[in-house]
Amino acid sequence: MAAPSTSTSSFAQSFPPRIEPQYVRIVGDSVGVVNLTPAALQCLADKLTQVMTRCSMAARQFATHGRRKTVKVEDLEFSLRSLGLPMPIGALTRSLPSVRQLRMPGGEQLYVREDMDLDVPPLTQPPQVKVPVKRHIRVHWIRVDSEEEPPPEKKAKKIMQGAGVPTLDLPAALRKRTPLPSESGAPSVSYRLAAQGVPKKEQILIKPSFVEPLSVEQQIYLKEIVEACVGQDDRKRQQALQSLERDTGIQIRCNIVHRCLSMLIYVVRMMRAVAVNKSVKLDGVLHEFLPSLMSCMLGRVVCTRPESDNHWALRDFAGKTLITIIKDHGTKDTRRRAFRAVKRIFDEPSSSYSMIYGTITTLLEFATPVERIRLHPRFMILLERTRTAAATSGDQQERIEAHKLHASLTKHEPSLRRLIKQAAQASRRGHS
């Protein structure tokens, strides 16, 4: 066979596409670069041809790996990234790109694609990945014969509606009761059976009480009562206290605070008169009564002249009034809180003798037998301390307070000793 001719072989040979130096010069002129030599233009054309060839081949490989016949912009982006080249900004996939014609200074025509305005920050920032929603299981009612089984409440309501009985007019016990299938045909029978469980008692709602503003008559009454209780006329004072003890229309609205000893005694007497009134409820004002009484009992200084004024009577009377109020109007919790507050003052090393004196009556009244036994060691320590202070202290006020406290402790200490003796005997009998 004859060998093919040279012309035939050259015609069959494939020539790869190349970028001409003339195109490089036109692009350089469009961007303002005009001082390129022919050798530089040829070098740039060869380099661009090489890069485009490698990029096209890599993009074709990515399209083949993606089982696609056409090459997309994403394939070109991946190929440029593999070559270490950045993707040009504004490269988008367009079905019909718009082309704009430009006339160059040399008379040539250049066709460029118009780029739309892009928001650069979203392109430079990484895309935000949406976090999937947490899975949850939803409960569905079962289906019987391709029909959804309703819940028991809806099923009972449906049966009631089918029986012709209005659900809203039925008693509570009948609405809650689920009728049997055999009873659906006899509404009267089911009604009588369900009505047997209806409770006979009914809850009666009482309008809650609220504090009303004082009328003019009540304000005048309060003014006259206070003036009579703190005045000089003893007969009017007794009448005012009796009125507070027996009047059925008294409203407790406020608390009175004063630093004068005589005024404090009168106010405590008013509080005691109100406390013994059977028609007065102090539940809503205990938070105002108890702190003032405890201040009169446990205050370090309750008068302007403690060395001469008889503030001991005020402490005793305030303690008795506190006991009366808590017994008649308080609860177990109020009793325990008052006991803890008084015991804290009794055990506090920094408490003065007068403060400890005001705690003894309330402490022994509210303490249980076991707590009284536990108080005995503290009693003995205070007895020894007050005996020494009353005999050797250089302060006259301290000697008076120590003497008063020692007398009160001496009065109540034998009862604690008898209680300890009885507890020991009971324990001995239990062991025997």
Side-chain angles (χ1 to χ4, degrees):
M1 181 180 293
S5 62
T6 306
S7 60
T8 305
S9 61
S10 61
F11 180 80
Q13 185 179 3
S14 60
F15 295 94
R18 299 180 62 85
I19 295 179
E20 299 296 335
Q22 184 67 17
Y23 175 75
V24 177
R25 186 181 66 80
I26 294 173
V27 175
D29 293 341
S30 64
V31 296
V33 181
V34 295
N35 55 351
L36 294 176
T37 62
L41 293 175
Q42 184 64 38
C43 182
L44 286 175
D46 295 341
K47 183 62 178 178
L48 289 175
T49 302
Q50 181 184 3
V51 171
M52 291 183 63
T53 303
R54 293 176 59 186
C55 181
S56 301
M57 294 176 62
R60 183 60 186 172
Q61 291 180 359
F62 282 114
T64 303
H65 293 167
R67 303 294 190 271
R68 294 189 302 273
K69 294 182 179 181
T70 58
V71 180
K72 295 185 177 181
V73 179
E74 290 80 3
D75 300 329
L76 292 174
E77 182 179 359
F78 294 149
S79 63
L80 289 174
R81 190 178 301 173
S82 63
L83 297 177
L85 299 176
M87 185 70 177
I89 298 177
L92 299 175
T93 304
R94 298 179 180 177
S95 57
L96 296 175
S98 61
V99 179
R100 184 162 56 94
Q101 181 181 3
L102 296 178
R103 186 174 295 275
M104 304 304 296
E108 299 85 356
Q109 293 183 355
L110 182 64
Y111 295 92
V112 297
R113 189 176 62 185
E114 294 183 355
D115 293 334
M116 61 184 298
D117 296 336
L118 299 177
D119 192 5
V120 178
L123 296 176
T124 57
Q125 295 177 359
Q128 297 181 357
V129 181
K130 294 184 178 180
V131 180
V133 183
K134 184 179 179 181
R135 294 182 178 180
H136 63 281
I137 300 175
R138 183 178 179 183
V139 181
H140 295 272
W141 295 101
I142 60 175
R143 288 182 173 271
V144 180
D145 296 335
S146 300
E147 293 183 0
E148 184 178 352
E149 182 71 14
E153 296 81 4
K154 294 184 178 180
K155 189 174 182 180
K157 184 177 180 180
K158 185 177 180 181
I159 294 176
M160 286 293 182
Q161 291 177 355
V165 181
T167 308
L168 299 177
D169 298 338
L170 297 179
L174 185 57
R175 290 199 301 268
K176 294 180 180 178
R177 184 176 181 273
T178 303
L180 299 176
S182 59
E183 299 175 358
S184 59
S188 59
V189 177
S190 61
Y191 186 89
R192 287 196 299 271
L193 292 176
Q196 294 177 359
V198 178
K200 302 299 181 182
K201 297 181 180 179
E202 295 182 0
Q203 184 180 4
I204 301 176
L205 300 179
I206 302 176
K207 184 179 180 181
S209 59
F210 59 93
V211 180
E212 298 180 356
L214 293 178
S215 61
V216 179
E217 293 80 4
Q218 291 173 338
Q219 295 179 19
I220 296 175
Y221 173 79
L222 177 62
K223 175 178 175 295
E224 293 180 354
I225 284 291
V226 173
E227 290 179 354
C229 290
V230 301
Q232 300 294 332
D233 193 346
D234 187 65
R235 184 178 61 84
K236 289 185 178 181
R237 184 183 303 111
Q238 295 298 331
Q239 292 178 357
L241 293 176
Q242 290 179 4
S243 176
L244 290 176
E245 293 178 2
R246 301 173 184 176
D247 197 340
T248 59
I250 296 178
Q251 293 184 8
I252 305 302
R253 292 294 308 279
C254 60
N255 188 15
I256 302 175
V257 180
H258 210 279
R259 294 300 300 271
C260 180
L261 180 62
S262 58
M263 294 291 292
L264 287 176
I265 293 177
Y266 293 148
V267 170
V268 174
R269 292 184 65 181
M270 292 175 60
M271 296 173 68
R272 181 176 178 83
V274 173
V276 298
N277 193 336
K278 301 300 181 181
S279 61
V280 175
K281 302 298 182 182
L282 299 180
D283 301 342
V285 292
L286 284 180
H287 62 284
E288 297 180 357
F289 265 50
L290 300 187
S292 58
L293 288 175
M294 297 185 73
S295 298
C296 295
M297 292 166 45
L298 311 176
R300 189 178 296 272
V301 179
V302 295
C303 58
T304 57
R305 295 175 298 177
E307 66 280 354
S308 59
D309 292 341
N310 187 15
H311 59 91
W312 311 101
L314 173 64
R315 297 179 189 273
D316 292 336
F317 192 66
K320 294 178 182 179
T321 305
L322 178 68
I323 294 172
T324 303
I325 291 177
I326 292 180
K327 282 185 176 181
D328 296 342
H329 305 278
T331 60
K332 291 183 179 180
D333 182 63
T334 309
R335 187 188 186 104
R336 296 304 303 169
R337 291 178 63 182
F339 173 77
R340 287 196 298 266
V342 173
K343 189 175 184 300
R344 184 168 59 251
I345 299 297
F346 182 77
D347 296 335
E348 183 67 30
S350 61
S351 299
S352 62
Y353 293 146
S354 58
M355 296 170 63
I356 298 176
Y357 177 88
T359 64
I360 294 176
T361 305
T362 308
L363 197 65
L364 296 178
E365 181 66 29
F366 291 155
T368 61
V370 178
E371 292 171 343
R372 292 182 184 179
I373 294 175
R374 293 176 181 175
L375 292 175
H376 187 262
R378 176 66 175 170
F379 261 71
M380 300 306 297
I381 295 174
L382 290 175
L383 276 172
E384 184 63 28
R385 185 186 303 175
T386 53
R387 183 185 300 109
T388 305
T392 61
S393 178
D395 188 1
Q396 181 181 1
Q397 179 63 25
E398 185 179 359
R399 288 201 306 269
I400 295 174
E401 293 181 356
H403 178 72
K404 282 285 186 180
L405 180 58
H406 185 270
S408 179
L409 293 173
T410 305
K411 177 182 177 182
H412 295 92
E413 194 271 337
S415 62
L416 298 180
R417 191 182 305 170
R418 286 195 301 269
L419 185 61
I420 295 174
K421 185 177 180 180
Q422 293 174 3
Q425 293 176 357
S427 177
R428 195 179 300 112
R429 286 196 301 267
H431 287 296
S432 61

